[in-house]
Structures are given as C-alpha cells and as structure tokens.
Amino acid sequence: MLKKFLSSCELCPRRCKVDRKISRGFCGAGEKIRVALVSLHEWEEPCLNGDKGAGTIFFSYCNLRCVFCQNFKISHENFGEEISVERLTEIFFEQQERGAANIELVTPIHYLPQICQALDAAKSSGLKLPVVWNSNGYELPEMLELLKNRVDIFLPDLKYFDNEIATSFSGVNDYFKIASAALKKMFEIVGEAEFDSQGKMLRGLLVRHLVLPNFRSDSMKILDWLYKTFGDKIFISVMNQYTPIFHATDFKELDRKLTTFEYKSVIRHAEELGIKNCFIQVGKSASEKFIPNFNLSGVRTN
C-alpha cells in the first residue's frame, strides 16, 4: 500500500505525482510520518472530549495554505519529528491507556496509507477507541473510501462557499467543489451520528465552520448547503474563535477579530433554517491561549 500511493502521490486533490521517497510535493511531506504533538485535548466539542479529552495526534504539513492558520508552526513551518508506522501504532495504545475519548488524527490526509497500516495493526491488537479523522475537507472521495471500517467519526472543516475567498486565503481555487464532494463521501461511509449513554460520539459526521470577519454571508451559504444536503443527520459546529495571526494581518479583511454581531447573525441564520444539531461557542474563545503548544510531547518513545 505504501509503495503504491507514495511512489506517485495523488493522495489529495493537488495530485502532485511526486515520488515521496525522493521528493516532496505541494504539502511538503516525505515518505515518513512527521508528528508535532500527541495530547489529551480538552477544547474539542463536548461529544468528542469525554472525561479526559480527545486523543489528538497532530501531523506536520498541510495541502492548504491558509493565511490565518493557527497551527502554522506545523502546517507551514513543518515543525515535527519523523516516526515509523510502528511508533504510530504504539501512540494509539498510549492514548488509549491515558484515557483518551478517541484517537483523533489531525490534518492526516498526506499520511493516509501509513495511517491505514497503523490502524489495521492497532485494531487487530485490541484498540477499542473510536477513530476521528480531523481534516481541512480538501480531500478526494476515492481516498476517503480507504477509511471505510477504519475511521468512525469524520470531523472536517467546511471553510468556504465562495471559491474566490478560498483562492485569496487558502491558495486553492476549487475548494467548495472538492470539499462538498468529500463531505458527501464521509457521510456515505459513517452514516447518521451515534452516541453512547454519556453523550460521547461513537460514529458520524461533525462539520466545523469557522466564521471569518467580513464574510458572514459566506458562512450563511455554508449552512444553507449543509442543511439542504444533510438535514439533521449530521452535526455542525459553528466557531467564533478566529484570531488574526500568522499572515492574516497582511489582509485588511482578516486583520481583526470577529464581532459579536457577525457571529450571532450566523447563529440566528442557523436557527431560522431549523438546524437542530449545532454546537456554538459562548464567550470569548478568540485567543492564542487555545492554540496547542507544539513541543513534541508524546511523540518519542516513553
């Protein structure tokens, strides 16, 4: 599997076709997995947190170039440490032993074949936790198909409806076309959401959308499409935590935090549509203190 997908890489819509053993494509990833942080993350949606937090594993590199990326240290600056498939399998079990609510794979698409190998090994050896695929949504349906019976919960972003905005801020001119097809495939794989008796999500699709300053109308179009396409069969998380960091300050439209009016107007639109399964953020969450400390914690062998 590794040789097939890495010798001419077409894992994501960039379709760079590079040999990852000797070269690097748009995202920057090579043959080996690179991880920046393994943690129990307590700031996810309540249904993903459990008692001790989500078992996040943050992968380095990304196939988008979002100018406002809060994880720019690992997505753009490529911080992290290379590990083997075997080590990733060990990390899964270490997260389970720590009491993580799940195994949450953050920005993982460029390591899909390696992750599949690690998941297969872990599941055959007793891994019991639900597996969460936390992604930017810019993914190919045919690659997501490989996650059937491997991933239980899809947690994608749906960043933009307007491709001009996507081009300006993420360097991609077909974002909605690609991401909307990816979300449909994700729902096809996992179906309607399932929860345990404590309200922890066991299976399903939870779509995140970050409201950007000056673009609340685009957010409303996102909600229109999600509800028309999936109704109440999925969950939606509308976030107000936008913080102008990294290169966002170079863009006039993005060089401020979201106003209360902007966020509440998007939430009001969700209510008017009749959306029931929607997480919202209350209070001030637009702060750099919520950005993970990428320090290689949990990456190396204990």
Side-chain angles (χ1 to χ4, degrees):
M1 191 182 204
L2 283 175
K3 184 177 180 181
K4 173 184 176 182
F5 287 106
L6 299 183
S7 61
S8 180
C9 188
E10 295 186 70
L11 290 172
C12 88
R14 300 282 183 184
R15 298 186 185 274
C16 297
K17 296 186 178 181
V18 299
D19 185 342
R20 296 257 298 266
K21 290 175 288 186
I22 60 175
S23 185
R24 296 172 187 263
F26 181 89
C27 72
E31 181 181 18
K32 283 193 173 183
I33 307 160
R34 184 180 289 266
V35 175
L37 176 66
V38 176
S39 64
L40 294 179
H41 195 59
E42 299 179 352
W43 302 109
E44 304 294 54
E45 287 76 8
C47 64
L48 298 177
N49 275 340
D51 295 329
K52 296 186 178 180
T56 47
I57 302 169
F58 288 87
F59 295 95
S60 305
Y61 304 110
C62 185
N63 64 354
L64 293 183
R65 289 293 179 267
C66 302
V67 298
F68 52 86
C69 181
Q70 68 170 13
N71 295 345
F72 65 89
K73 183 176 180 180
I74 65 173
S75 62
H76 290 62
E77 297 178 356
N78 310 327
F79 176 81
E81 186 167 299
E82 289 186 345
I83 63 171
S84 65
V85 170
E86 292 74 21
R87 175 60 192 143
L88 182 59
T89 304
E90 291 175 353
I91 288 172
F92 294 161
F93 283 106
E94 289 166 6
Q95 291 290 66
Q96 182 165 272
E97 291 167 4
R98 293 182 184 109
N102 45 54
I103 299 296
E104 184 175 333
L105 309 165
V106 185
T107 319
I109 189 60
H110 40 289
Y111 298 119
L112 183 145
Q114 299 98 318
I115 288 170
C116 286
Q117 284 193 340
L119 285 174
D120 290 348
K123 286 174 179 284
S124 66
S125 298
L127 183 71
K128 302 299 184 184
L129 296 179
V131 177
V132 181
W133 187 264
N134 178 342
S135 73
N136 60 32
Y138 194 62
E139 298 167 305
L140 295 170
E142 59 266 35
M143 294 301 161
L144 294 171
E145 179 68 24
L146 297 173
L147 299 173
K148 189 174 183 179
N149 299 321
R150 290 181 168 122
V151 164
D152 305 287
I153 299 166
F154 284 101
L155 181 64
D157 293 337
L158 190 54
K159 295 178 180 291
Y160 316 101
F161 187 88
D162 187 330
N163 283 318
E164 288 187 13
I165 305 174
T167 301
S168 297
F169 302 144
S170 291
V172 61
N173 62 11
D174 57 356
Y175 179 82
F176 184 78
K177 176 183 177 181
I178 296 293
S180 59
L183 265 61
K184 289 178 181 178
K185 171 56 72 171
M186 292 174 185
F187 181 74
E188 177 187 314
I189 292 171
V190 296
E192 292 190 47
E194 298 175 13
F195 299 84
D196 69 10
S197 58
Q198 281 74 50
K200 185 175 74 172
M201 182 176 274
L202 302 175
R203 189 171 184 84
L205 173 61
L206 198 171
V207 181
R208 285 175 168 172
H209 174 67
L210 176 66
V211 182
L212 298 176
N214 292 300
F215 293 102
R216 63 191 178 95
S217 62
D218 197 66
S219 295
M220 294 176 186
K221 292 175 184 177
I222 289 285
L223 294 177
D224 290 342
W225 182 83
L226 285 172
Y227 197 58
K228 179 181 179 181
T229 305
F230 302 108
D232 291 314
K233 296 178 180 178
I234 68 167
F235 278 71
I236 302 169
S237 181
V238 182
M239 302 183 295
N240 70 354
Q241 66 196 52
Y242 173 80
T243 306
I245 59 174
F246 194 43
H247 294 308
T249 53
D250 297 333
F251 295 82
K252 182 179 179 181
E253 309 98 308
L254 299 181
D255 193 18
R256 66 169 173 83
K257 294 182 179 181
L258 195 67
T259 65
T260 300
F261 167 77
E262 287 173 314
Y263 185 66
K264 285 188 174 180
S265 66
V266 174
I267 298 305
R268 191 181 311 114
H269 186 72
E271 293 171 346
E272 291 170 352
L273 286 173
I275 295 174
K276 298 177 182 178
N277 300 332
C278 185
F279 291 102
I280 65 173
Q281 292 179 315
V282 179
K284 296 181 179 180
S285 57
S287 170
E288 293 187 31
K289 74 178 183 180
F290 294 109
I291 298 174
N293 179 19
F294 299 113
N295 58 7
L296 300 179
S297 177
V299 177
R300 299 185 178 95
T301 304
N302 292 337

